[in-house]
Each structure stands twice: as C-alpha cells, then as structure tokens.
Amino acid sequence: MIKQKLTAFLAGMLMATFACADNLALKEGHPDTYTVKKGDTLWDISGVFLQKPWYWPKIWQVNPQVKDPHWIYPGDVLNLVYIDGQPRLVTGVKKLSPGIRTSGAQDAVKSIDIESIKPFLVSDYIFPNAESVDSLPYVLGDNSNNKAMVDVSVVYVKGNLQEGEQYGIYSSPKKYKDPITGEVLGYRAALSGVGVADAQREGATPVTLVKTVKEVKQGERVIPLASVDGYDAYYYPKPATVPEAYILENVIDTRYVGKNQVVVINKGTATGVSNGDVFEIYKEGVKISGASADSVSYVDLGSAKDRLVSAMSQYSNLPSTTVGHVMVFKAYDKLSLGIVLDATDFIPNGSKLISPRD
C-alpha cells in the first residue's frame, strides 16, 4: 500500500515537472540574448522566447537579478539561462554606454501597451441594460441652438445633479447582443466631455463644460465621475478559464483588428472573466472539397455552382490555427474590453476566442 502511494506520488511529481516544462516550452530558434527596445512590453519580450507567452511571469520568477520585471529599460540586455533546470531571463551587460541611468519609472517596460488602452480605461462606460440608460439625466442643449457643444460653454441637463460636482457626458450608447443567444449584453458609451454642475433652475441644471474629448450633443447621458471605476496600473496576463468567447467589434469600427487595437468581447464577470485573462484568437481551417489530387479545391474560391455541389457533398476543413491573443483589461458584467496583444493574420469582427491550449 505504501509502495503504491509512493509510486503515485512520484508519478504526480513527474507529471507536474513535465507540465511546468511544457508551460515554459521555448520557441524553436529562440535567441540566447535580447536587447530591450523602446516600445517593448513584457508580453512582447516573453513571446520572443516562449511558445506560450501567457506564462511570462514564470520566466522572471525566482530571479534575484530581475526582482521586478517592470524595472527593466530599453537598452538592457537579457540573457536566457537555466535555474534549477528551468529557463529564466536575467539582466546582463548594458548595451548602452556606462553612466547613471537618467530614465524614470515611466520609461520602465510594462506588461502590456498601457497607452493603447488608456483612453478606453478612463472614457468608456458600459451600461448593463436599457433601464440603466433611460433613467439617466441627459443633455437638453444650450441657449445658442447649437447641436454640438465644446469647452467653456454652458449646457442644460434634464435631471437633478449635485451642485459643484463633476459629471461625465457620454455619447448615445451602442447596444451589443450575444452572437449565439441573441441576449442583450449591454450598452457601450464613449466619453464626450466633462462638466461641473450648477444649481438647478426652471426644471434644468446648468453644466459648464470644462473639457471635451469630442463635441457634446443633445440627448447624451450624464454620469457622476465619482461612480466611474478606476483601472489597474499593472496587468498580469493569465490564461482565461472561460472556454470560448467572441469579438463583437473593433471599437474604431474597422472591418479587421490588429495588434494593440481594442475590441469588445461578449463575456464578462458574470461568466468568470476578469482583468488579465488571455484568450487565443481562433481561426477555423478553410473548407476544401474533392477526394483526389486531381479534384481537390478550395470551396470558397469555387464558382457558385461549385459551392452548391460542395454543400451537398463531402468536404473537410484544414486544421484550425491561432492567429493572435487578446487580453481583457476592463471586465463588466456581461461584456469586456480587450486589447489585441499580437496578431499574425487579419482578425475580422466576430472572430472566436478560446481559452489557451496547453
């Protein structure tokens, strides 16, 4: 009995060792050294070495020479070494000429590109349902008949506001539905401006616009800035536990998504999504038809007649591929905002996301 337990324990330890080794599997042809460049992120650097860059914290752990990976800078030389049989990155000789470092904390390498997501962290707001939108105060207009208003003008708002408080003014929210169930998941609005409320009079509240991101328009909703959540200073990418999700749209409203672009995802905290979750961007293999070397062809490139024949006959798909990764940086109830960390192909709206595969 003891022997059986010991055998099981050793087998478990062996499996754990293999799992760890697999987690930190290195890319074929990886370099032994890397010089940090301006604009690099920890995700980018780890992707140079690891097959699965979402395990990037492991390659820095137990590393006295890199106590905090956020404190490496452009020009630092990183060496790949092995500690207790596991790959680690350590700092080596600086490629820059000797001297006192003049760069500050703002120049240190971040885990992801914060600048790409900062506007969405402070200026986007997602409402859970139509009732939460309809009940909000809204902009009536100004006394100059302007349909679009800018800084230092006074607009009037329908609704009770707290005198002296700052309010965010948000564009008409856009509705999002789940692509599978059709359920309404929420409404996303973008910040138009910030205003300070005056005392209410004659059924309306004057609000002085102190900052505008874009023109403020009639009907836009008004929210106390104090109620808008803050955001994380650092993000630690980790594999998502939710099996699958979908990219609903690219927020700059283009057909395809690329690296460092922000997307809306159809999952949120209600289904277990949290900030830092990384999904693989999944691309299904293309359809092919034909049963021989002489007849094989791409279904989508055939004529209308060929596609009809293929639809009624046997066809198969080439293997699916991963064409990038997206990380959630702002999770709401049923929707999330994510940033594309890397992309090797065009990513259309509607792309499927899956939990990273080990």
Side-chain angles (χ1 to χ4, degrees):
M1 186 68 173
I2 294 175
K3 183 178 180 181
Q4 288 178 338
K5 288 184 177 180
L6 181 60
T7 302
F9 172 77
L10 291 174
M13 289 293 291
L14 188 60
M15 289 177 66
T17 302
F18 283 142
C20 184
D22 181 59
N23 288 348
L24 290 181
L26 297 174
K27 274 187 173 178
E28 187 177 347
H30 64 81
D32 293 323
T33 64
Y34 180 80
T35 302
V36 180
K37 303 188 299 294
K38 186 175 182 179
D40 275 345
T41 64
L42 296 180
W43 176 273
D44 296 331
I45 295 169
S46 299
V48 171
F49 296 93
L50 296 177
Q51 291 181 14
K52 300 167 184 176
W54 54 88
Y55 288 118
W56 68 265
K58 292 178 180 290
I59 205 169
W60 307 95
Q61 287 175 358
V62 197
N63 189 343
Q65 292 181 275
V66 186
K67 292 181 180 178
D68 185 342
H70 292 99
W71 293 97
I72 59 174
Y73 296 82
D76 284 353
V77 177
L78 302 174
N79 295 315
L80 181 67
V81 301
Y82 284 82
I83 299 176
D84 296 329
Q86 292 299 311
R88 302 284 184 241
L89 288 176
V90 300
T91 53
V93 179
K94 307 287 187 297
K95 203 168 185 179
L96 299 177
S97 42
I100 298 174
R101 188 191 300 281
T102 58
S103 53
Q106 69 274 13
D107 299 315
V109 171
K110 304 293 191 299
S111 54
I112 64 168
D113 184 3
I114 293 291
E115 292 305 311
S116 294
I117 65 174
K118 191 178 291 183
F120 303 95
L121 290 168
V122 298
S123 64
D124 269 37
Y125 195 90
I126 291 182
F127 303 94
N129 49 53
E131 291 75 20
S132 62
V133 176
D134 294 339
S135 62
L136 290 172
Y138 60 91
V139 175
L140 294 169
D142 66 8
N143 274 328
S144 300
N145 291 321
N146 291 316
K147 291 187 175 181
M149 294 144 273
V150 293
D151 293 2
V152 200
S153 61
V154 175
V155 301
Y156 292 89
V157 171
K158 180 69 173 178
N160 293 318
L161 306 182
Q162 184 69 38
E163 183 178 357
E165 291 295 315
Q166 284 193 336
Y167 288 83
I169 301 170
Y170 289 82
S171 61
S172 298
K174 180 174 182 178
K175 181 167 64 177
Y176 291 97
K177 291 184 177 182
D178 189 275
I180 306 300
T181 66
E183 176 191 3
V184 176
L185 302 174
Y187 298 75
R188 183 179 67 88
L191 183 72
S192 296
V194 175
V196 177
D198 202 343
Q200 185 181 24
R201 56 178 182 268
E202 299 178 23
T205 302
V207 173
T208 301
L209 297 179
V210 295
K211 177 184 179 182
T212 52
V213 179
K214 55 184 178 180
E215 295 174 325
V216 172
K217 298 179 181 179
Q218 289 177 296
E220 294 194 330
R221 271 61 174 193
V222 179
I223 308 171
L225 280 185
S227 68
V228 179
D229 294 336
Y231 59 90
D232 298 338
Y234 293 105
Y235 289 88
Y236 294 91
K238 60 187 186 300
T241 57
V242 174
E244 65 178 48
Y246 289 88
I247 292 176
L248 297 180
E249 78 161 351
N250 167 359
V251 297
I252 61 173
D253 203 24
T254 57
R255 185 178 177 186
Y256 293 103
V257 184
K259 182 179 178 180
N260 291 336
Q261 289 187 343
V262 173
V263 296
V264 181
I265 299 169
N266 73 321
K267 299 290 183 181
T269 56
T271 51
V273 171
S274 61
N275 290 353
D277 280 2
V278 173
F279 289 93
E280 290 185 354
I281 304 171
Y282 179 88
K283 183 176 181 180
E284 191 175 60
V286 300
K287 295 181 177 66
I288 57 172
S289 63
S292 68
D294 294 327
S295 62
V296 65
S297 65
Y298 296 112
V299 171
D300 292 341
L301 297 184
S303 64
K305 180 180 178 182
D306 292 336
R307 289 195 294 273
L308 180 61
V309 171
S310 295
M312 295 185 297
S313 61
Q314 291 271 337
Y315 63 81
S316 59
N317 288 68
L318 293 178
S320 60
T321 56
T322 295
V323 294
H325 298 87
V326 61
M327 189 202 79
V328 171
F329 65 84
K330 188 75 171 177
Y332 294 86
D333 185 29
K334 296 182 180 179
L335 291 170
S336 297
L337 297 178
I339 180 174
V340 176
L341 298 171
D342 56 68
T344 58
D345 200 350
F346 293 115
I347 303 167
N349 291 330
S351 291
K352 185 176 180 179
L353 306 175
I354 61 173
S355 178
R357 293 166 288 190
D358 282 329

